Amino acid sequence: MSRRRGIMSESFKEELAKELGFYDTVKSEGWGGIKARDAGNMVRLAIEKAETTMNGTKNQHDD
């Protein structure tokens, strides 16, 4: 069975991990070393960033 390709780029995930304060864990243990709560917070932050980007793009077109 092939591994499913992720939606978020590795660099974006690393950026989020740094922002949320658990990048050291990712560096030392890999993504499997993070807590479920950290993973959830990472997804939440990614969604917030996407919504902000979409709203900014939408507002630019409303002018």
Side-chain angles (χ1 to χ4, degrees):
M1 179 177 264
S2 68
R3 185 175 172 136
R4 189 175 148 210
R5 186 173 181 196
I7 294 173
M8 290 190 280
S9 71
E10 193 68 20
S11 61
F12 184 57
K13 291 191 296 187
E14 290 172 359
E15 174 188 327
L16 295 173
K18 288 175 186 174
E19 192 169 331
L20 293 169
F22 58 86
Y23 183 66
D24 288 338
T25 301
V26 173
K27 281 195 320 188
S28 63
E29 301 177 34
W31 290 106
I34 67 171
K35 298 175 183 174
R37 179 179 299 223
D38 290 334
N41 287 337
M42 190 171 75
V43 170
R44 178 188 49 77
L45 183 57
I47 291 169
E48 287 176 8
K49 287 179 177 278
E51 287 176 341
T52 300
T53 300
M54 288 173 51
N55 287 336
T57 302
K58 179 182 175 190
N59 290 339
Q60 289 176 358
H61 293 293
D62 289 344
D63 292 341

